[in-house]
Amino acid sequence: MKKILIVDDNAAVLEALSLLLEIHGYQVVTASTPKEALQIVNYQAISLVLQDMNFSADTTSGEEGKTLFFALRELNPLLPIILITAWTELEHAVALVKAGAADYIPKPWDDVKLITTVNNLIALGEASATHQSVKQQSTLYDSAKQAARSVGLVYESAAMQRVVDMALQVAKSDVPVLITGPNGSGKEKIAELIQSQSPLRHAAFVKVNAGALPQELIEAELFGAEAGAFTSAHKSRIGRFEAANGGTLFLDEIGTLPLSGQVKLLRVLQTGEFEKLGSVKTQHTNVRIISATNADLASDIANGHFREDLFYRLNVIEINVPPLSERGDDALALVQHFLPNREISLTGKQAITQYPWPGNVRELENACRRVDILHPHGPLNADAFGLPSSHSEDTVLVKVGSEPTEAEIQAALVRYNGVIAQVAKHVGLSRQALYRRLDKYKISYKS
């Protein structure tokens, strides 16, 4: 039920308008002063305001109504406002309508005309709000895409869009972030995205892969070492925490960090203090921590392999990157990125979309590298990628990421008896993208 606010200092007017609007199915709230009206609009979902032009005794200038109008506009620029005017206030009312008020009605009002105006303006207000929401979402989507492209993150799926949106939101803060997901799914790219959009984007961004280092060297890498601290330490070296001071430290494969390193890491997170290996001098650092793992840290905690207190220090916010098998739309976008301007058959596109890619983006990138070397020229099919093809007789060729023709879409609709999910996979589009093409070509289809 839509809620309408009536603002008038005349109790009889409030009662009459309330009764009229409630009879026609509206919920009504009333205010007798501008202050009350502004409080209501600030804290309640109001669909339309009916406001008088004067609220003080012996006042007919309309200035109070003008002030209230602009205050309401500042709170909600899209809120429809109908001005209730006497003849002496008509000039002010007309000026306010030109300034953005929806309409005005004279005293005494015509009930039928008033209800018609209210109905039309509420419908128009809803349409304007929807349009504004869509416009804002489109702007945010374009901004997110641009930010992702700046770090080389390629995606088209809704699942990955949610990850990107969360990463951009998290980037504004300085809290530790734990990025989880399988190997090769793009965790490092998400870390780079967070860094690139954070207040620390111009400060140091230091990466360390704990899983790629021998365990005896991890502590030296993180905290540094004095000359002679261990056999191969011929000179003093700074650690990653010291190098990242004032910036961001990305700890990849955090689940492989040995317990001794976990203790020191926990201390740094709690106090900002650490010592180099072989030194008793305490150093201070201030870094933002972004960590990543493909491990099940909850199981590691239960097994005694990972400290629970460290887990909660690292996992203030968790971002889970889904595997490529759950991001079907991303596979073709990535192929286009890795193999630009190559032609690929519809069966090839279909195979790329349907294959689960257990090695995720890393496996797909390697497959594209092999294709580029072994098939440098000519069109590509499923066999070129080493993937099974369920419809090898289909030899229609399209460019990766290019528009399928109207004839191709028509043929696919016939082939799959109008089943949109199957048609979309066949022509290499998402369902939403296919619907847009169907509307564009005015092709009838099953809903």
Side-chain angles (χ1 to χ4, degrees):
M1 184 180 293
K2 303 302 178 184
K3 187 182 293 185
I4 295 177
L5 169 63
I6 307 172
V7 193
D8 202 301
D9 61 335
N10 188 321
V13 171
L14 293 178
E15 184 177 357
L17 286 174
S18 296
L19 180 60
L20 174 64
L21 292 167
E22 287 170 355
I23 288 174
H24 287 81
Y26 291 106
Q27 183 180 354
V28 176
V29 290
T30 61
S32 56
T33 67
K35 182 178 180 180
E36 291 177 24
L38 293 172
Q39 288 177 337
I40 290 171
V41 171
N42 203 26
Y43 291 103
Q44 297 187 40
I46 301 298
S47 298
L48 181 141
V49 174
L50 273 163
Q51 72 154 81
D52 194 14
M53 294 294 291
N54 296 293
F55 304 97
S56 300
D58 303 323
T59 301
T60 59
S61 67
E63 288 298 328
E64 291 175 316
K66 183 177 178 181
T67 300
L68 175 59
F69 164 75
F70 285 112
L72 290 171
R73 270 286 174 266
E74 188 173 345
L75 283 178
N76 184 353
L78 299 178
L79 180 64
I81 301 172
I82 299 177
L83 307 170
I84 307 173
T85 66
W87 177 259
T88 55
E89 302 150 1
L90 185 58
E91 185 178 347
H92 272 307
V94 171
L96 291 180
V97 168
K98 292 180 179 178
D103 210 339
Y104 68 91
I105 60 170
K107 296 177 181 177
W109 58 83
D110 180 290
D111 287 354
V112 174
K113 289 183 178 179
L114 174 59
I115 291 300
T116 300
T117 300
V118 168
N119 291 340
N120 291 340
L121 290 179
I122 285 181
L124 182 61
E126 290 177 341
S128 298
T130 300
H131 174 74
Q132 186 70 12
S133 176
V134 170
K135 185 178 179 181
Q136 290 175 346
Q137 290 176 3
S138 178
T139 300
L140 289 173
Y141 176 80
D142 292 341
S143 177
K145 277 284 192 177
Q146 184 176 357
R149 283 196 295 268
S150 71
V151 297
L153 180 60
V154 177
Y155 70 94
E156 288 294 337
S157 67
M160 203 60 184
Q161 183 64 55
R162 288 190 291 271
V163 171
V164 169
D165 289 342
M166 187 173 184
L168 293 176
Q169 187 174 0
V170 168
K172 303 171 187 175
S173 69
D174 61 355
V175 299
V177 180
L178 176 63
I179 306 171
T180 59
N183 280 334
S185 58
K187 298 188 294 297
E188 184 173 342
K189 287 296 181 185
I190 296 301
E192 292 175 1
L193 176 62
I194 293 172
Q195 162 65 10
S196 72
Q197 301 301 308
S198 76
L200 301 174
R201 57 185 171 274
H202 299 303
F205 182 43
V206 178
K207 304 176 185 179
V208 57
N209 187 333
L213 295 171
Q215 290 202 356
E216 63 272 13
L217 294 180
I218 288 179
E219 291 183 45
E221 284 291 328
L222 291 179
F223 308 111
E226 294 291 354
F230 52 91
T231 305
S232 59
H234 301 300
K235 62 180 180 178
S236 178
R237 59 189 296 182
I238 67 170
R240 304 303 176 93
F241 271 97
E242 186 176 353
N245 189 29
T248 303
L249 179 62
F250 175 51
L251 299 172
D252 201 3
E253 302 293 352
I254 191 66
T256 63
L257 193 65
L259 288 172
S260 58
Q262 292 178 34
V263 173
K264 288 192 174 183
L265 177 57
L266 179 62
R267 181 189 174 208
V268 176
L269 296 179
Q270 290 175 330
T271 67
E273 298 179 346
F274 68 95
E275 289 86 29
K276 287 184 177 182
L277 290 182
S279 172
V280 295
K281 181 182 177 181
T282 298
Q283 294 185 235
H284 298 269
T285 187
N286 180 23
V287 299
R288 180 187 189 172
I289 298 293
I290 302 176
S291 52
T293 184
N294 67 329
D296 182 353
L297 292 185
S299 296
D300 289 346
I301 291 170
N303 296 330
H305 297 149
F306 201 85
R307 293 182 63 100
E308 186 174 20
D309 47 4
L310 176 59
F311 172 76
Y312 288 116
R313 281 281 179 177
L314 296 171
N315 190 23
V316 175
I317 294 179
E318 180 178 346
I319 298 178
N320 180 257
V321 183
L324 194 54
S325 60
E326 297 177 12
R327 298 153 42 191
D329 291 347
D330 289 352
L332 287 174
L334 286 162
V335 169
Q336 181 184 16
H337 176 72
F338 294 130
L339 295 172
N341 303 317
R342 294 300 303 272
E343 287 184 332
I344 185 169
S345 70
L346 289 179
T347 54
K349 292 176 71 175
Q350 196 172 9
I352 290 167
T353 302
Q354 293 177 345
Y355 181 66
W357 298 105
N360 296 293
V361 179
R362 193 169 297 147
E363 179 187 1
L364 185 146
E365 181 179 8
N366 289 339
C368 289
R369 287 177 175 175
R370 288 194 301 271
V371 166
D372 201 32
I373 294 171
L374 299 177
H375 305 274
H377 306 292
L380 302 170
N381 55 24
D383 291 340
F385 289 90
L387 302 176
S389 172
S390 56
H391 300 289
S392 59
E393 73 278 7
D394 186 353
T395 58
V396 180
L397 298 177
V398 295
K399 260 187 186 178
V400 179
S402 67
E403 288 286 318
T405 65
E406 181 179 356
E408 289 168 350
I409 294 175
Q410 291 275 23
L413 282 167
V414 172
R415 179 173 193 165
Y416 294 102
N417 195 29
V419 179
I420 293 297
Q422 295 179 357
V423 174
K425 282 188 177 182
H426 182 79
V427 299
L429 296 173
S430 66
R431 291 190 190 186
Q432 291 79 8
L434 176 58
Y435 281 127
R436 290 195 293 270
R437 272 60 168 194
L438 292 171
D439 291 337
K440 172 184 175 182
Y441 294 126
K442 295 181 172 57
I443 301 173
S444 60
Y445 56 90
K446 295 179 181 179
S447 59

